[in-house]
């Protein structure tokens, strides 16, 4: 069906779905967006709360040591919470936040999806668990998953623009903070409260169950937290063939009818759990927590083809056994994490002190069939101290100290990165002051980064150390109660990672040979952004324009040379620039006997290119046992950067009435033809999703909810341009998920 016809069908369905729901004529009352464990509201208040999924502008953003609402923060931020978070939750963190303006996801099969913020990904986007790094190695390779489970989150905060001021070198492109409350910081509203959820899905035979409990002792001082999750899926359905037509033509292959409709080796199994306990007093708290995350997932596109007699079978155990027999690549990841957190208020000239400490043991094993290929091990310790001072000369502010140590090792034939020890330490201050209608925010941070590597290999490589400094200024002008304008200026620096400095060998996940450059310098980003926010009654509009100019931008360049039957790519650096824009609209256009109707529209675009001219020469040496192949490559100093997300527009129509709520949305991803040299363009596609939920409160103060979610309802073949697997692993086809939630 042509795209215009599909969009028309989506809009028609968006209008028809709430209309069909109206015919049910449900009784009034019942909250549609409960906060887990909260006490039930009186009947009149509950009816009023039904009309609002959640005012996200009023949600407190905790990623800053100076917490404030999303509405009042000067810096651009997006928050997912409440019913919108429940509807967005997915197997990966990246796919969960994928529909926020300016935020997309990488894709390496259903088990791996890392957030991409305004075109920045990997080592430029920091993923946090309640303000501390996740402790995984998802920045080392695109096939490594983030060890944070979105289904257990209370809310997810996305900081757009450089967050180096708060979280150091790895947040130069932004940060995603997952708030899960695994170490309690305050007493609960009820002695025992929690939530549980069971769901099943059609596109991959998903079976997911989760439970969470929070409670407080009779004395009010001892608070505990418990959560657990289990998920199993089989290989997922796709509209056509795993390999794109262009890829098959390039390889001289013909489609195999036996492989149509299923993405082989895409099964997934995840287990996660945590236990935390805190002592909470009048002036502070002290708590500990322990958590585990274990996942097994196939790597699509890296398995042998199915034979003619293979049947499509979603049974998880059958899938995993079949993959082992066929030699498919699958990954087993295990992480154990211990945390200590504490806080103290009212310290004379200081308003509060917060201390966070986490130790993480991480193991990632890649299997080829039933044979161990490569084992990645990572042991990390991170600490953070935040000291909020009382107003000094009119300035509210906070000092912060952050340090981390990482011991990383890869063992196996495909260990393309040597063992390394990384130590980071940073000191920062951030503060703001109000001047009538103007609010000014200033900040500064200095970091020291050291990388020591294992030099037992054939070629000695130098250890490196770096000093980076970041400065920030932001201004907000309240032109009126309805209109706010903002301006942000940043100078941020990022140190090269061990992967960028020392890679040297075949990287099976990307199917390429990757070479690092031990002489890389820190990259420096200078950002300018202007934004506007206007609201009047039921209508809210927001827009922003930004420009980022990089000096010594580090990127993985395709050289056009084949090595080991795959492309040779080299880490290098040059000047670059990013230009982008975002816009959004929320309009509650009707609130009457038919219910509350809300229309949301958004769009974003980013253009990223090298800013030089002419060419430069790159001399490369590819190790081959006890010798090496030498190449001299000319790289263009201009042109597009690789794997940049395309522009997109999206919309969502929501309806709420009594215990019912429904929504239908569509997002159009444009064709990405602004590609780097040796990179193939990606066709555009439209993804349509729908959600329906029925909520009810009980006389005992508990609540339950039955839900039905639909994804990719048009069954489009969708290939993510930011993915290394775009030509061999499309997104899942049409799928329906259903289940129940209980709040108590």
């Amino acid at each position: 069906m042509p795209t215009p016809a599909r969009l028309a069908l989506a809009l028609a369905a968006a209008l028809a779905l709430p209309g069909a729901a109206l015919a049910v004529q449900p009784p009034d009352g019942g909250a549609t967006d409960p906060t887990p464990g909260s006490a039930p509201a009186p009947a009149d208040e509950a009816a009023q709360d039904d009309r609002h999924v959640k005012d996200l502008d009023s949600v407190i953003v905790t990623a800053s040591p100076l917490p404030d609402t999303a509405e009042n923060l000067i810096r651009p931020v997006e928050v997912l919470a409440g019913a919108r978070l429940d509807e967005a939750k997915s197997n990966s963190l990246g796919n969960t936040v994928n529909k926020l303006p300016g935020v997309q996801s990488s894709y390496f099969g259903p088990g791996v999806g890392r957030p991409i913020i305004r075109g920045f990904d990997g080592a430029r986007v920091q993923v946090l668990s309640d303000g501390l790094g996740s402790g995984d190695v998802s920045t080392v390779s695109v096939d490594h998953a983030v060890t944070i489970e979105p289904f257990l989150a209370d809310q997810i905060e996305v900081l757009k623009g450089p967050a180096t001021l708060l979280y150091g070198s790895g947040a130069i492109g932004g940060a995603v903070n997952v708030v899960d409350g695994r170490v309690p910081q305050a007493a609960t509203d009820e002695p025992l409260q929690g939530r549980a959820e069971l769901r099943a899905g059609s596109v991959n035979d998903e079976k997911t169950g989760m439970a969470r409990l929070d409670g407080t002792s009779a004395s009010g001082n001892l608070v505990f937290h418990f959560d657990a999750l289990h998920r199993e899926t089989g290989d997922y359905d796709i509209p056509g063939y795993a390999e794109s037509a262009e890829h098959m033509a390039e390889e001289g292959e013909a489609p195999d009818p036996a492989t149509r409709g299923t993405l082989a080796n895409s099964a997934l199994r995840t287990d996660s759990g945590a236990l935390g306990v805190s002592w909470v007093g009048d002036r502070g708290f002290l708590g500990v927590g322990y958590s585990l995350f274990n996942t097994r997932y196939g790597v699509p596109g890296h398995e042998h083809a199915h034979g003619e007699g293979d049947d499509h079978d979603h049974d998880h155990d059958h899938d995993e056994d079949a993959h082992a027999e066929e030699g498919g690549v699958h990954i087993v990841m295990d992480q154990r994490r211990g945390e200590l957190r504490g806080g103290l208020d009212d310290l004379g000239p200081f308003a509060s002190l917060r201390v966070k400490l986490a130790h993480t043991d991480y193991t990632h094993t890649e299997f080829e069939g039933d044979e161990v290929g490569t084992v990645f091990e990572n042991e990390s310790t991170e600490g953070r101290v935040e000291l909020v001072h009382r107003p000094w000369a009119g300035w509210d502010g906070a000092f912060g100290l952050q340090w981390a140590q990482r011991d990383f090792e890869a063992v196996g034939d495909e260990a393309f990165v040597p063992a390394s020890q990384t130590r980071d330490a940073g000191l920062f201050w951030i503060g703001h002051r109000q001047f009538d209608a103007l609010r000014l925010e200033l900040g500064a941070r200095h970091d020291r980064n050291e990388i020591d590597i294992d030099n037992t290999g054939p070629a000695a490589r130098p250890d490196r150390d770096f000093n980076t400094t970041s400065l920030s200024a932001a201004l907000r002008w309240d032109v009126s109660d309805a209109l706010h304008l903002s301006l942000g200026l940043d100078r941020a620096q990022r140190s090269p990672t061990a992967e960028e400095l020392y890679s040297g060998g075949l990287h099976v996940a990307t199917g390429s040979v990757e070479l690092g450059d031990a002489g890389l310098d820190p990259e420096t980003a200078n950002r300018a952004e202007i934004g506007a926010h206007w609201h009047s009654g039921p209508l809210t509009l927001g827009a922003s324009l930004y420009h980022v100019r990089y000096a010594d931008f580090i990127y993985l360049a395709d050289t056009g040379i084949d090595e080991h039957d795959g492309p040779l790519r080299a880490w290098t650096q040059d000047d670059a620039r990013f230009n982008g824009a975002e816009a959004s609209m929320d309009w509650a256009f009707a609130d009457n006997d038919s219910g509350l109707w809300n229309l949301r529209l958004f769009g974003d675009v980013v253009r990223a290119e090298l800013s030089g001219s002419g060419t430069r020469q790159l001399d490369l040496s590819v190790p081959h046992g006890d010798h090496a192949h030498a190449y001299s490559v000319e790289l263009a100093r201009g042109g597009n950067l690789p794997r940049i997300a395309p522009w997109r527009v999206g919309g969502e129509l929501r309806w709420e009435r009594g215990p019912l709520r429904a929504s239908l949305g569509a997002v159009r991803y444009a064709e990405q033809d602004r590609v780097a040299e040796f990179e193939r363009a990606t066709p555009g596609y439209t993804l349509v999703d729908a959600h329906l939920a029925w909520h009810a409160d009980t006389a005992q103060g508990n609540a339950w909810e039955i839900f039905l979610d639909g994804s990719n309802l048009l069954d489009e073949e969708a290939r993510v341009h930011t993915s290394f697997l775009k030509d061999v692993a499309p997104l899942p086809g049409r799928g329906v998920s259903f289940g129940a939630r209980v709040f108590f």
Side-chain angles (χ1 to χ4, degrees):
M1 187 181 297
T3 297
R6 294 190 177 199
L7 290 175
L9 178 62
L11 291 175
L15 296 175
L17 178 64
L22 281 173
V24 178
Q25 292 296 325
D28 292 333
T32 63
D33 180 36
T35 300
S38 61
D44 293 342
E45 293 181 13
Q48 179 65 25
D49 287 344
D50 265 358
R51 303 303 180 95
H52 303 283
V53 172
K54 196 149 192 172
D55 182 5
L56 294 181
D57 284 341
S58 66
V59 174
I60 299 296
V61 178
T62 64
S64 170
L66 302 173
D68 210 336
T69 65
E71 163 70 15
N72 290 332
L73 285 176
I74 304 177
R75 298 179 171 278
V77 62
E78 297 283 349
V79 179
L80 270 178
R84 290 189 186 273
L85 176 57
D86 285 334
E87 293 171 3
K89 286 175 179 175
S90 180
N91 294 344
S92 69
L93 180 60
N95 202 45
T96 299
V97 299
N98 189 44
K99 290 179 67 176
L100 297 175
V103 185
Q104 297 197 36
S105 176
S106 66
Y107 188 74
F108 213 87
V112 183
R114 217 174 183 279
I116 299 174
I117 301 177
R118 295 179 169 180
F120 299 110
D121 62 355
R124 293 184 180 89
V125 173
Q126 181 77 281
V127 175
L128 307 161
S129 175
D130 271 335
L132 287 177
S134 58
D136 56 46
V137 294
S138 58
T139 61
V140 173
S141 177
V142 290
D143 63 329
H144 295 189
V146 174
T147 56
I148 293 179
E149 176 51 58
F151 270 76
L152 300 173
D154 293 330
Q155 70 184 47
I156 300 177
E157 307 161 353
V158 180
L159 305 179
K160 297 185 290 188
T164 50
L165 187 68
L166 297 175
Y167 295 107
S169 186
I172 196 170
V176 179
N177 186 40
V178 179
V179 182
D180 51 31
R182 284 181 156 179
V183 178
Q185 299 186 29
T188 56
D189 296 329
E190 300 291 331
L192 183 64
Q193 60 190 45
R195 64 180 292 172
E197 178 175 326
L198 291 174
R199 71 163 56 208
S202 66
V203 74
N204 56 2
D205 273 3
E206 176 189 5
K207 301 174 184 67
T208 297
M210 64 82 65
R212 170 175 177 160
L213 292 174
D214 296 274
T216 303
S217 66
S219 66
N221 296 122
L222 194 63
V223 186
F224 78 90
H225 167 92
F226 167 80
D227 66 55
L229 174 137
H230 175 75
R231 175 189 298 113
E232 290 188 24
T233 75
D235 291 343
Y236 66 73
D237 298 332
I238 55 177
Y241 295 98
E243 294 182 85
S244 66
E246 295 84 356
H247 182 71
M248 284 189 284
E250 185 180 85
E251 297 293 323
E253 299 176 354
D256 181 0
T259 64
R260 181 180 177 86
T262 303
L263 182 64
N265 202 24
S266 58
L268 168 72
R269 174 174 177 157
T270 301
D271 294 282
S272 181
L275 179 64
V277 61
S278 296
W279 185 92
V280 178
D282 294 335
R283 293 183 53 202
F285 76 97
L286 180 64
V288 296
Y290 186 79
S291 62
L292 62 87
F293 182 91
N294 182 280
T295 186
R296 302 165 179 245
Y297 55 91
V299 181
H302 291 70
E303 75 290 332
H304 299 312
H306 286 283
E308 290 288 333
D310 288 341
D311 294 325
H312 174 50
D313 189 339
H314 280 317
D315 181 74
H316 173 77
D317 293 331
H318 172 85
D319 286 335
E320 194 167 85
D321 292 341
H323 295 159
E325 293 172 1
E326 295 164 5
V329 175
H330 66 282
I331 290 171
V332 177
M333 178 190 298
D334 185 84
Q335 178 174 286
R336 308 299 168 99
R337 181 180 175 96
E339 295 187 55
L340 172 67
R341 295 174 183 252
L344 190 61
D345 299 328
D346 297 328
L347 302 172
F350 298 100
S352 66
L353 170 69
R354 294 291 183 267
V355 179
K356 308 172 185 179
L357 182 66
H359 179 81
T360 303
D361 286 311
Y362 170 100
T363 301
H364 169 119
T365 306
E366 297 183 357
F367 289 87
E368 298 176 20
D370 56 0
E371 298 292 330
V372 174
T374 306
V375 178
F376 297 85
E377 294 187 348
N378 189 69
E379 183 178 356
S380 64
T381 302
E382 181 179 356
R384 186 176 177 91
V385 177
E386 298 171 352
L387 188 61
V388 179
H389 62 74
R390 300 189 188 279
W392 293 351
W395 287 86
D396 293 306
F399 294 98
L401 174 65
Q402 181 180 2
W403 69 96
Q405 178 172 319
R406 185 186 87 164
D407 293 329
F408 170 81
E409 184 178 16
V411 179
D413 294 337
E414 299 162 8
F416 67 101
V417 182
S420 63
Q421 297 79 43
T422 303
R423 293 178 295 277
D424 303 321
L427 180 67
F428 67 89
W429 176 84
I430 183 172
H432 57 75
R433 182 177 178 180
Q434 193 75 33
F435 298 90
D436 296 326
L438 297 177
R439 189 183 190 193
L440 176 64
E441 179 183 281
L442 299 176
R445 177 175 178 129
H446 182 76
D447 284 90
R448 172 77 173 178
N449 311 99
E450 300 177 358
I451 302 176
D452 299 331
I453 68 158
D454 181 359
N455 270 320
T456 60
R461 291 152 292 188
D463 298 335
R464 296 294 306 275
D465 58 80
F466 306 94
N467 289 284
T468 57
T469 300
S470 298
L471 304 171
S472 175
L475 180 68
R476 169 172 160 154
W477 178 24
D478 295 330
V479 180
S480 65
D481 290 339
L483 178 62
H484 315 299
L485 302 178
S486 61
L487 170 66
L489 300 173
D490 298 274
R491 176 194 184 269
Q493 290 189 301
R494 182 180 76 90
S495 302
T497 64
E499 299 75 48
E500 295 164 339
L501 292 167
Y502 305 116
S503 293
L506 178 63
H507 186 182
V508 173
T510 62
S512 63
V513 174
E514 293 184 13
L515 297 181
D517 182 353
L520 293 175
D521 296 320
E523 59 183 24
T524 302
N526 295 290
R527 180 192 71 118
E529 178 171 354
I530 57 173
H533 178 92
W534 179 81
H535 60 270
S536 178
L539 181 62
T540 300
L541 301 174
S544 60
L545 296 170
Y546 58 89
H547 171 77
V548 187
R549 186 172 292 274
Y550 267 90
D552 298 322
F553 181 81
I554 300 171
Y555 68 104
L556 187 61
D558 201 324
T559 65
I561 298 171
D562 284 339
E563 270 279 341
H564 297 296
D565 296 324
L568 173 62
R569 299 187 174 110
W571 288 103
T572 185
Q573 59 188 165
D574 207 341
D575 295 344
R577 56 176 176 260
F578 286 69
N579 295 298
E582 300 163 6
S584 63
M585 181 193 80
D586 281 281
W587 180 26
F589 61 88
D591 188 359
N592 49 42
D593 291 340
S594 69
L596 172 65
W597 299 78
N598 182 275
L599 177 65
R600 173 179 174 262
L601 301 174
F602 77 94
D604 54 47
V605 61
V606 60
R607 178 77 187 278
E609 54 190 351
L610 297 171
S611 56
S613 59
T615 61
R616 60 190 176 90
Q617 184 170 303
L618 197 63
D619 294 323
L620 304 174
S621 179
V622 182
H624 278 266
D626 57 357
H627 66 284
H629 290 172
Y631 297 98
S632 183
V633 180
E634 279 196 353
L635 295 180
R637 301 200 63 191
N640 301 302
L641 284 166
R643 292 173 295 282
I644 298 298
W647 66 263
R648 60 180 181 166
V649 293
E652 180 187 60
L653 181 65
R654 299 185 66 91
W655 168 82
E656 299 175 49
R657 184 172 184 266
L660 272 177
R661 71 173 184 268
S663 68
L664 193 143
V667 181
R668 176 62 185 176
Y669 292 79
E671 174 190 12
Q672 181 56 290
D673 55 4
R674 297 182 181 274
V675 295
E677 193 174 9
F678 309 113
E679 184 183 22
R680 181 183 290 130
T682 306
Y685 52 90
T686 302
L687 296 181
V688 177
D689 64 275
H691 306 274
L692 178 65
W694 181 291
H695 183 93
D697 293 310
T698 68
Q700 293 75 29
N702 303 324
W704 57 269
E705 188 170 278
I706 297 175
F707 62 89
L708 180 67
D709 299 330
S711 58
N712 195 5
L713 295 178
L714 302 182
D715 205 29
E716 284 238 342
E717 182 177 304
R719 298 184 183 274
V720 181
H721 184 76
T722 58
S723 173
F724 281 92
L725 297 182
K726 66 177 182 179
D727 284 319
V728 295
L731 293 178
R734 182 186 296 113
V736 176
S737 298
F738 56 93
R741 303 183 184 102
V742 178
F743 307 88
F744 56 90

